[in-house]
């Protein structure tokens, strides 16, 4: 079953944000909105790992925007303690 139009739009906004954040990390662009800690030392290998992780989040949220059953898994995946 497809999610409601509002939920689908919000999930696709998250997809766009994750992809922009992943591109910024991959390219080393220190944009304050896309980097949580933008004033820390730059380690390219860490940013590459983060960018690949963000691509998987984007894929999961895109899947959630297509099927409502995936939404709880997408939300649980970004839960932080």
């Amino acid at each position: 079953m497809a999610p409601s139009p509002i939920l689908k739009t919000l999930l696709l906004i998250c997809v766009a944000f994750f992809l922009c954040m992943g591109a910024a990390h991959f390219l080393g662009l220190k944009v304050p909105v896309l980097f949580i800690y933008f004033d820390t030392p730059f380690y390219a290998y860490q940013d590459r790992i983060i960018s690949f992780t963000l691509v998987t989040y984007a894929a999961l949220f895109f899947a959630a925007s297509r099927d409502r059953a995936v939404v709880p898994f997408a939300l649980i995946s970004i839960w932080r303690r």
Side-chain angles (χ1 to χ4, degrees):
M1 174 187 282
S4 68
I6 294 173
L7 179 60
K8 183 175 184 169
T9 302
L10 291 173
L11 289 169
L12 290 175
I13 288 171
C14 289
V15 168
F17 179 69
F18 286 138
L19 290 176
C20 289
M21 192 185 303
H25 276 276
F26 189 79
L27 298 173
L29 305 173
K30 295 282 186 168
V31 179
V33 174
L34 302 176
F35 270 76
I36 296 174
Y37 304 108
F38 60 91
D39 58 348
T40 58
F42 175 73
Y43 298 110
Y45 73 94
Q46 291 175 341
D47 285 334
R48 296 287 194 277
I49 294 169
I50 291 168
S51 69
F52 293 131
T53 304
L54 289 167
V55 169
T56 60
Y57 280 139
L60 181 60
F61 273 67
F62 182 74
S65 74
R66 309 280 258 168
D67 188 3
R68 180 180 273 174
V70 183
V71 172
F73 299 108
L75 296 177
I76 289 170
S77 71
I78 61 169
W79 184 292
R80 297 194 185 229
R81 295 183 210 189

